[in-house]
Amino acid sequence: MEDPCRLYLVTPPVLPPGFADHLAAALDAGDVGCLQLRLKDAPRDAVQRAIEALMPIAQARDVAFLLNDDAALAAEMGCDGAHLGQQDGDHAGARRLLKGRILGITCHDNRHLAMQAGELGADYVAFGAFFPTTTKEATHRAPVELLEWWSEVFTVPSVAIGGITAANCGPLVRAGADFIAVVGAVWNHPEGPAAGVRAMNAAIAEAADGA
Ligand SMILES: Cc1ncc(COP(=O)(O)OP(=O)(O)O)c(N)n1
Ligand SMILES: Cc1nc(C(=O)O)sc1CCOP(=O)(O)O
Ligand SMILES: [Mg+2]
């Protein structure tokens, strides 16, 4: 049997007060495979403090803790890995630095970038944005067929990201995404992040049942 599709949680770009408690509640609400700390534009010491505060919360719950953008800091701080975009430095160097840890690489909507990432030993390839998102200015739009093609041809796991909610994730799960990555669907859920995790888990499970 194939591994089930799982939720991949990305932090808000700026952490609100009391975020550690919200994170614990979210992770206690259901299944989360991975947490990515994504603090855009925060100074290095603020990112270090956030890692120290949040990584134990994730790791205590067996949730892999990845750092966005900075493979060297991820290795130095003992994170479980890093997520790098196409502009985030030397991927091959990062692969060496993160030996035994997780390396994920953004591939937008591009088959060639994904095959390159797979060849250099990425642990997952990320495709997106699948839907309009207000979390960041996404300049690429990925089609669902990309996930189908990738999962039929390659064994490296895929992550789908960008504007994904409980209401629209079904086709991505059925197309073979291994992880569904979200920011807003959890952190902006009207009933709070725990409800957001529950809603995403239920939608992923329902789609997987119908796959
Ligand atoms: C899981 C996941 N996929 C894609 C991205 C985007 O990475 P990148 O293109 O480097 O953009 P920023 O996140 O750095 O703005 C991601 N972070 N996580
Ligand atoms: C961080 C990120 N990367 C994207 C990409 O397309 O590579 S879209 C995105 C934002 C995801 O946030 P939300 O779930 O709120 O849409
Ligand atoms: Mg980046």
Side-chain angles (χ1 to χ4, degrees):
M1 206 176 105
E2 276 180 30
D3 289 338
C5 179
R6 299 185 72 189
L7 181 60
Y8 178 136
L9 193 52
V10 182
T11 66
V14 176
L15 303 183
F19 181 75
D21 290 341
H22 294 304
L23 175 63
L27 299 186
D28 286 338
D31 178 61
V32 177
C34 177
L35 175 73
Q36 180 192 128
L37 180 65
R38 178 176 179 272
L39 296 181
K40 298 306 286 188
D41 306 325
R44 186 183 166 90
D45 63 329
V47 176
Q48 283 172 318
R49 284 196 301 277
I51 294 170
E52 281 163 0
L54 304 179
M55 186 162 67
I57 295 172
Q59 290 179 339
R61 292 161 174 81
D62 278 335
V63 176
F65 185 90
L66 306 190
L67 180 63
N68 190 38
D69 286 347
D70 192 337
L73 186 59
E76 186 185 314
M77 299 284 295
C79 299
D80 296 301
H83 180 91
L84 299 183
Q86 291 298 319
Q87 311 302 325
D88 297 327
D90 166 22
H91 292 169
R95 179 63 291 173
R96 288 191 293 276
L97 204 57
L98 293 172
K99 193 159 180 279
R101 301 176 202 262
I102 299 166
L103 173 62
I105 296 182
T106 296
C107 301
H108 302 302
D109 57 346
N110 190 305
R111 295 179 181 213
H112 178 68
L113 291 179
M115 289 188 283
Q116 265 184 346
E119 270 167 31
L120 80 67
D123 294 288
Y124 68 79
V125 296
F127 295 118
F130 283 92
F131 303 104
T133 172
T134 53
T135 301
K136 81 170 214 182
E137 222 170 284
T139 47
H140 299 83
R141 181 60 70 85
V144 176
E145 295 71 34
L146 188 57
L147 293 168
E148 250 158 22
W149 166 75
W150 182 262
S151 66
E152 277 164 19
V153 181
F154 299 100
T155 55
V156 176
S158 64
V159 176
I161 193 167
I164 305 176
T165 65
N168 66 20
C169 71
L172 310 178
V173 176
R174 288 191 291 274
D178 296 283
F179 292 89
I180 296 291
V182 301
V183 179
V186 164
W187 303 114
N188 301 335
H189 192 284
E191 289 156 33
V197 167
R198 284 193 291 271
M200 286 304 307
N201 279 176
I204 291 170
E206 189 185 328
D209 277 352

